[in-house]
PDB file of all heavy atoms in Angstrom:
ATOM      1  N   ASP A  76     -39.240  38.887  30.895  1.00 98.00           N
ATOM      2  CA  ASP A  76     -39.803  37.582  30.530  1.00 98.00           C
ATOM      3  C   ASP A  76     -41.071  37.744  29.700  1.00 98.00           C
ATOM      4  O   ASP A  76     -41.300  36.983  28.754  1.00 98.00           O
ATOM      5  CB  ASP A  76     -40.093  36.773  31.795  1.00 98.00           C
ATOM      6  CG  ASP A  76     -38.837  36.598  32.629  1.00 98.00           C
ATOM      7  OD1 ASP A  76     -37.969  35.813  32.223  1.00 98.00           O
ATOM      8  OD2 ASP A  76     -38.727  37.275  33.667  1.00 98.00           O
ATOM      9  N   LEU A  77     -41.886  38.732  30.021  1.00 98.00           N
ATOM     10  CA  LEU A  77     -43.086  38.998  29.228  1.00 98.00           C
ATOM     11  C   LEU A  77     -42.712  39.459  27.823  1.00 98.00           C
ATOM     12  O   LEU A  77     -43.346  39.061  26.847  1.00 98.00           O
ATOM     13  CB  LEU A  77     -43.969  40.041  29.921  1.00 98.00           C
ATOM     14  CG  LEU A  77     -44.740  39.539  31.131  1.00 98.00           C
ATOM     15  CD1 LEU A  77     -45.278  40.704  31.950  1.00 98.00           C
ATOM     16  CD2 LEU A  77     -45.869  38.607  30.698  1.00 98.00           C
ATOM     17  N   LYS A  78     -41.670  40.285  27.720  1.00 97.00           N
ATOM     18  CA  LYS A  78     -41.219  40.716  26.395  1.00 97.00           C
ATOM     19  C   LYS A  78     -40.728  39.525  25.580  1.00 97.00           C
ATOM     20  O   LYS A  78     -40.993  39.435  24.372  1.00 97.00           O
ATOM     21  CB  LYS A  78     -40.127  41.779  26.515  1.00 97.00           C
ATOM     22  CG  LYS A  78     -40.653  43.133  26.925  1.00 97.00           C
ATOM     23  CD  LYS A  78     -39.536  44.171  26.974  1.00 97.00           C
ATOM     24  CE  LYS A  78     -40.065  45.535  27.346  1.00 97.00           C
ATOM     25  NZ  LYS A  78     -38.988  46.556  27.361  1.00 97.00           N
ATOM     26  N   ASN A  79     -40.029  38.599  26.229  1.00 98.00           N
ATOM     27  CA  ASN A  79     -39.590  37.385  25.526  1.00 98.00           C
ATOM     28  C   ASN A  79     -40.792  36.558  25.065  1.00 98.00           C
ATOM     29  O   ASN A  79     -40.755  35.938  24.001  1.00 98.00           O
ATOM     30  CB  ASN A  79     -38.681  36.542  26.413  1.00 98.00           C
ATOM     31  CG  ASN A  79     -37.311  37.149  26.589  1.00 98.00           C
ATOM     32  OD1 ASN A  79     -36.858  37.939  25.757  1.00 98.00           O
ATOM     33  ND2 ASN A  79     -36.648  36.807  27.671  1.00 98.00           N
ATOM     34  N   ALA A  80     -41.846  36.563  25.871  1.00 98.00           N
ATOM     35  CA  ALA A  80     -43.058  35.798  25.530  1.00 98.00           C
ATOM     36  C   ALA A  80     -43.764  36.368  24.303  1.00 98.00           C
ATOM     37  O   ALA A  80     -44.576  35.682  23.679  1.00 98.00           O
ATOM     38  CB  ALA A  80     -44.001  35.734  26.721  1.00 98.00           C
ATOM     39  N   LEU A  81     -43.452  37.601  23.928  1.00 97.00           N
ATOM     40  CA  LEU A  81     -44.056  38.178  22.722  1.00 97.00           C
ATOM     41  C   LEU A  81     -43.572  37.457  21.462  1.00 97.00           C
ATOM     42  O   LEU A  81     -44.149  37.643  20.397  1.00 97.00           O
ATOM     43  CB  LEU A  81     -43.728  39.672  22.616  1.00 97.00           C
ATOM     44  CG  LEU A  81     -44.306  40.567  23.701  1.00 97.00           C
ATOM     45  CD1 LEU A  81     -43.876  42.014  23.476  1.00 97.00           C
ATOM     46  CD2 LEU A  81     -45.818  40.448  23.769  1.00 97.00           C
ATOM     47  N   LYS A  82     -42.535  36.635  21.600  1.00 96.00           N
ATOM     48  CA  LYS A  82     -42.002  35.862  20.469  1.00 96.00           C
ATOM     49  C   LYS A  82     -42.440  34.400  20.535  1.00 96.00           C
ATOM     50  O   LYS A  82     -41.959  33.574  19.772  1.00 96.00           O
ATOM     51  CB  LYS A  82     -40.476  35.942  20.463  1.00 96.00           C
ATOM     52  CG  LYS A  82     -39.939  37.351  20.362  1.00 96.00           C
ATOM     53  CD  LYS A  82     -38.427  37.364  20.548  1.00 96.00           C
ATOM     54  CE  LYS A  82     -37.998  38.728  21.018  1.00 96.00           C
ATOM     55  NZ  LYS A  82     -37.012  38.691  22.069  1.00 96.00           N
ATOM     56  N   ASP A  83     -43.339  34.077  21.436  1.00 97.00           N
ATOM     57  CA  ASP A  83     -43.779  32.695  21.630  1.00 97.00           C
ATOM     58  C   ASP A  83     -44.443  32.171  20.359  1.00 97.00           C
ATOM     59  O   ASP A  83     -45.062  32.923  19.607  1.00 97.00           O
ATOM     60  CB  ASP A  83     -44.764  32.615  22.797  1.00 97.00           C
ATOM     61  CG  ASP A  83     -44.924  31.213  23.332  1.00 97.00           C
ATOM     62  OD1 ASP A  83     -45.683  30.421  22.726  1.00 97.00           O
ATOM     63  OD2 ASP A  83     -44.286  30.896  24.339  1.00 97.00           O
ATOM     64  N   GLU A  84     -44.328  30.886  20.122  1.00 95.00           N
ATOM     65  CA  GLU A  84     -44.972  30.274  18.951  1.00 95.00           C
ATOM     66  C   GLU A  84     -46.481  30.192  19.104  1.00 95.00           C
ATOM     67  O   GLU A  84     -47.206  30.039  18.126  1.00 95.00           O
ATOM     68  CB  GLU A  84     -44.395  28.882  18.691  1.00 95.00           C
ATOM     69  CG  GLU A  84     -44.666  27.899  19.797  1.00 95.00           C
ATOM     70  CD  GLU A  84     -43.967  26.562  19.626  1.00 95.00           C
ATOM     71  OE1 GLU A  84     -42.856  26.532  19.086  1.00 95.00           O
ATOM     72  OE2 GLU A  84     -44.548  25.553  20.036  1.00 95.00           O
ATOM     73  N   SER A  85     -46.969  30.306  20.334  1.00 94.00           N
ATOM     74  CA  SER A  85     -48.410  30.292  20.593  1.00 94.00           C
ATOM     75  C   SER A  85     -48.946  31.719  20.596  1.00 94.00           C
ATOM     76  O   SER A  85     -48.571  32.542  21.440  1.00 94.00           O
ATOM     77  CB  SER A  85     -48.706  29.640  21.946  1.00 94.00           C
ATOM     78  OG  SER A  85     -50.044  29.891  22.329  1.00 94.00           O
ATOM     79  N   ALA A  86     -49.828  32.014  19.668  1.00 95.00           N
ATOM     80  CA  ALA A  86     -50.418  33.351  19.591  1.00 95.00           C
ATOM     81  C   ALA A  86     -51.221  33.683  20.841  1.00 95.00           C
ATOM     82  O   ALA A  86     -51.323  34.851  21.227  1.00 95.00           O
ATOM     83  CB  ALA A  86     -51.297  33.457  18.344  1.00 95.00           C
ATOM     84  N   SER A  87     -51.769  32.682  21.504  1.00 93.00           N
ATOM     85  CA  SER A  87     -52.519  32.930  22.741  1.00 93.00           C
ATOM     86  C   SER A  87     -51.597  33.415  23.848  1.00 93.00           C
ATOM     87  O   SER A  87     -51.956  34.311  24.620  1.00 93.00           O
ATOM     88  CB  SER A  87     -53.248  31.656  23.181  1.00 93.00           C
ATOM     89  OG  SER A  87     -54.220  31.298  22.227  1.00 93.00           O
ATOM     90  N   VAL A  88     -50.400  32.853  23.923  1.00 96.00           N
ATOM     91  CA  VAL A  88     -49.406  33.302  24.906  1.00 96.00           C
ATOM     92  C   VAL A  88     -48.974  34.726  24.577  1.00 96.00           C
ATOM     93  O   VAL A  88     -48.880  35.584  25.457  1.00 96.00           O
ATOM     94  CB  VAL A  88     -48.201  32.343  24.940  1.00 96.00           C
ATOM     95  CG1 VAL A  88     -47.079  32.905  25.819  1.00 96.00           C
ATOM     96  CG2 VAL A  88     -48.615  30.957  25.419  1.00 96.00           C
ATOM     97  N   VAL A  89     -48.737  34.990  23.292  1.00 97.00           N
ATOM     98  CA  VAL A  89     -48.328  36.330  22.855  1.00 97.00           C
ATOM     99  C   VAL A  89     -49.378  37.361  23.246  1.00 97.00           C
ATOM    100  O   VAL A  89     -49.058  38.432  23.778  1.00 97.00           O
ATOM    101  CB  VAL A  89     -48.074  36.359  21.331  1.00 97.00           C
ATOM    102  CG1 VAL A  89     -47.863  37.785  20.844  1.00 97.00           C
ATOM    103  CG2 VAL A  89     -46.883  35.484  20.967  1.00 97.00           C
ATOM    104  N   THR A  90     -50.636  37.044  23.009  1.00 96.00           N
ATOM    105  CA  THR A  90     -51.717  37.982  23.298  1.00 96.00           C
ATOM    106  C   THR A  90     -51.805  38.296  24.788  1.00 96.00           C
ATOM    107  O   THR A  90     -51.941  39.463  25.178  1.00 96.00           O
ATOM    108  CB  THR A  90     -53.061  37.434  22.774  1.00 96.00           C
ATOM    109  OG1 THR A  90     -52.952  37.261  21.353  1.00 96.00           O
ATOM    110  CG2 THR A  90     -54.212  38.367  23.077  1.00 96.00           C
ATOM    111  N   LEU A  91     -51.693  37.282  25.638  1.00 96.00           N
ATOM    112  CA  LEU A  91     -51.740  37.523  27.085  1.00 96.00           C
ATOM    113  C   LEU A  91     -50.524  38.316  27.562  1.00 96.00           C
ATOM    114  O   LEU A  91     -50.644  39.220  28.386  1.00 96.00           O
ATOM    115  CB  LEU A  91     -51.812  36.196  27.846  1.00 96.00           C
ATOM    116  CG  LEU A  91     -53.148  35.486  27.806  1.00 96.00           C
ATOM    117  CD1 LEU A  91     -53.035  34.104  28.429  1.00 96.00           C
ATOM    118  CD2 LEU A  91     -54.205  36.305  28.513  1.00 96.00           C
ATOM    119  N   ALA A  92     -49.345  37.975  27.043  1.00 97.00           N
ATOM    120  CA  ALA A  92     -48.132  38.710  27.422  1.00 97.00           C
ATOM    121  C   ALA A  92     -48.243  40.174  26.989  1.00 97.00           C
ATOM    122  O   ALA A  92     -47.857  41.088  27.724  1.00 97.00           O
ATOM    123  CB  ALA A  92     -46.897  38.054  26.811  1.00 97.00           C
ATOM    124  N   ALA A  93     -48.794  40.390  25.801  1.00 97.00           N
ATOM    125  CA  ALA A  93     -48.975  41.758  25.300  1.00 97.00           C
ATOM    126  C   ALA A  93     -49.922  42.539  26.206  1.00 97.00           C
ATOM    127  O   ALA A  93     -49.666  43.704  26.532  1.00 97.00           O
ATOM    128  CB  ALA A  93     -49.502  41.728  23.867  1.00 97.00           C
ATOM    129  N   GLU A  94     -50.998  41.910  26.624  1.00 96.00           N
ATOM    130  CA  GLU A  94     -51.947  42.593  27.501  1.00 96.00           C
ATOM    131  C   GLU A  94     -51.307  42.931  28.848  1.00 96.00           C
ATOM    132  O   GLU A  94     -51.496  44.031  29.383  1.00 96.00           O
ATOM    133  CB  GLU A  94     -53.204  41.745  27.707  1.00 96.00           C
ATOM    134  CG  GLU A  94     -54.272  42.455  28.494  1.00 96.00           C
ATOM    135  CD  GLU A  94     -55.598  41.715  28.533  1.00 96.00           C
ATOM    136  OE1 GLU A  94     -55.750  40.671  27.875  1.00 96.00           O
ATOM    137  OE2 GLU A  94     -56.503  42.216  29.237  1.00 96.00           O
ATOM    138  N   ALA A  95     -50.536  41.995  29.384  1.00 97.00           N
ATOM    139  CA  ALA A  95     -49.847  42.251  30.652  1.00 97.00           C
ATOM    140  C   ALA A  95     -48.885  43.425  30.505  1.00 97.00           C
ATOM    141  O   ALA A  95     -48.819  44.303  31.376  1.00 97.00           O
ATOM    142  CB  ALA A  95     -49.106  41.001  31.119  1.00 97.00           C
ATOM    143  N   LEU A  96     -48.151  43.464  29.401  1.00 97.00           N
ATOM    144  CA  LEU A  96     -47.212  44.564  29.161  1.00 97.00           C
ATOM    145  C   LEU A  96     -47.935  45.892  28.953  1.00 97.00           C
ATOM    146  O   LEU A  96     -47.475  46.934  29.412  1.00 97.00           O
ATOM    147  CB  LEU A  96     -46.315  44.246  27.961  1.00 97.00           C
ATOM    148  CG  LEU A  96     -45.243  43.195  28.236  1.00 97.00           C
ATOM    149  CD1 LEU A  96     -44.608  42.722  26.931  1.00 97.00           C
ATOM    150  CD2 LEU A  96     -44.184  43.722  29.192  1.00 97.00           C
ATOM    151  N   TYR A  97     -49.050  45.860  28.264  1.00 95.00           N
ATOM    152  CA  TYR A  97     -49.846  47.074  28.076  1.00 95.00           C
ATOM    153  C   TYR A  97     -50.231  47.671  29.433  1.00 95.00           C
ATOM    154  O   TYR A  97     -50.126  48.870  29.655  1.00 95.00           O
ATOM    155  CB  TYR A  97     -51.099  46.761  27.255  1.00 95.00           C
ATOM    156  CG  TYR A  97     -51.932  47.979  26.936  1.00 95.00           C
ATOM    157  CD1 TYR A  97     -51.692  48.705  25.778  1.00 95.00           C
ATOM    158  CD2 TYR A  97     -52.953  48.398  27.786  1.00 95.00           C
ATOM    159  CE1 TYR A  97     -52.454  49.826  25.466  1.00 95.00           C
ATOM    160  CE2 TYR A  97     -53.711  49.523  27.488  1.00 95.00           C
ATOM    161  CZ  TYR A  97     -53.462  50.229  26.328  1.00 95.00           C
ATOM    162  OH  TYR A  97     -54.208  51.341  26.034  1.00 95.00           O
ATOM    163  N   ASN A  98     -50.670  46.795  30.323  1.00 94.00           N
ATOM    164  CA  ASN A  98     -51.074  47.241  31.652  1.00 94.00           C
ATOM    165  C   ASN A  98     -49.895  47.774  32.467  1.00 94.00           C
ATOM    166  O   ASN A  98     -50.093  48.484  33.451  1.00 94.00           O
ATOM    167  CB  ASN A  98     -51.769  46.110  32.411  1.00 94.00           C
ATOM    168  CG  ASN A  98     -53.113  45.770  31.799  1.00 94.00           C
ATOM    169  OD1 ASN A  98     -53.745  46.599  31.149  1.00 94.00           O
ATOM    170  ND2 ASN A  98     -53.553  44.549  31.996  1.00 94.00           N
TER     171      ASN A  98
END
Side-chain angles (χ1 to χ4, degrees):
D76 303 287
L77 285 165
K78 285 182 178 181
N79 287 337
L81 295 179
K82 301 172 204 137
D83 198 279
E84 64 187 33
S85 167
S87 296
V88 172
V89 171
T90 300
L91 286 172
E94 186 171 355
L96 286 168
Y97 184 90
N98 292 335

